[in-house]
Amino acid sequence: MSGRRLVIDATLGAGGHAEAMLEAGVESVLGVDRDPAALSLAATRLSRFGRRLRTVESRFSTLAEAAARAGVRAADGILYDLGVSSMQLDDAERGFGYRADGPLDMRMGPGEGGGLTAERVVNEYPQDELARIIFEYGGERQSRRIAAAIVRARGREPIRSTDRLAGIVAGAVGRRPGRAHPARRTFQAIRIEVNGELEELAASLPQAAGLLEPGGRMAVISYHSLEDRTVKRFLRDEASLAPLTPKPIRPSEAETASNPRARSARLRAAERIPEAA
C-alpha cells in the first residue's frame, strides 16, 4: 500500500504492518486495535514516526465510529490481519496459548465489559454446544470426544488454566510425535467464540468499504476457512468493490519457513470502484 496518503491498519497489534507501510512511504496510518496493550506497545515502538501514526481502541464492529473519533472520514487503504497476534500468543497471562500455563482468558480486549472468557466457555457451556463450537470453529473431527472429556473433568474440579485444558484435550485424543499439538484446534475454536470474531468481521467489512476513497484498496489476511469464506463472499457481493484477487494469495515456502504461524494465511484484496463512491 505504498504511495497511499492514509491507511487504516484495523489490526495494529505490535505495529509490524504499520511500520512497513510507513517506511514504504504511506503518509499516515491510523492503527486500530481492541487490545490496549497492543496499542501502547505499537505507539512506543513506532514513536519515531511521530504524528504519522495515530491509534484508537476499537472492536471491528465499531470501525467507522472509531475512525470518526480519530477525525478520519475516508482512507486510501484498509488492512486487516485477522486472528490472534504473536504478541498475544506468547503472553501466557492472556491464556491464548497451550505451550505455557496461564489463566483461561483469551479475550483480545482484556477489559471488555463483563466479558465472556475461555474459563466460562469451558466450565459453563453445555456439552453439545462445546462440541459444536470445537467442530465448527476449530475443524476438529473429534469434537464430541473432546467436549465429553471437558465435561467429565470440570465435574471433578473447575478448569481454570490453559495447561489443564490442553492436557484434557491431549488425553482425549492422544498426541502423535511430530504432529501439531492436539489442543491447537480446540484453543482456536474457544478463542473465536470468546471474541465473537466471525460476527465482528462480518459487521466490520461493510464499514471498511464505506470508508474507502474511490480507487482505495482493502486487503484482508485470514487464517481460518470461515474467516476466508466471509471475506470472499463480501468482496464478491459488495457492489462498491472490484476484487483484485480471484484466488487468495498464499505464503511462499520461504515465508512459512521463517514464520511457521503464516502457513495458513490467505490474502484477498479489492478496490473501491470510482462510480460507486
Side-chain angles (χ1 to χ4, degrees), residues 28-73:
S28 64
V29 171
L30 175 64
V32 182
D33 208 293
R34 68 194 288 183
D35 186 348
L39 293 173
S40 177
L41 174 63
T44 300
R45 278 191 63 236
L46 306 182
S47 60
R48 69 184 185 278
F49 293 107
R51 293 187 59 80
R52 291 177 64 200
L53 173 70
R54 289 173 285 166
T55 63
V56 60
E57 183 179 338
S58 173
R59 302 163 69 103
F60 281 171
S61 57
T62 55
L63 178 65
E65 186 272 334
R69 276 192 281 127
V72 172
R73 304 296 176 185

Side-chain angles (χ1 to χ4, degrees), residues 79-94:
L79 172 68
Y80 291 84
D81 186 3
L82 305 176
V84 65
S85 71
S86 295
M87 176 187 67
Q88 291 167 327
L89 275 174
D90 294 338
D91 183 352
E93 290 303 308
R94 301 295 297 274

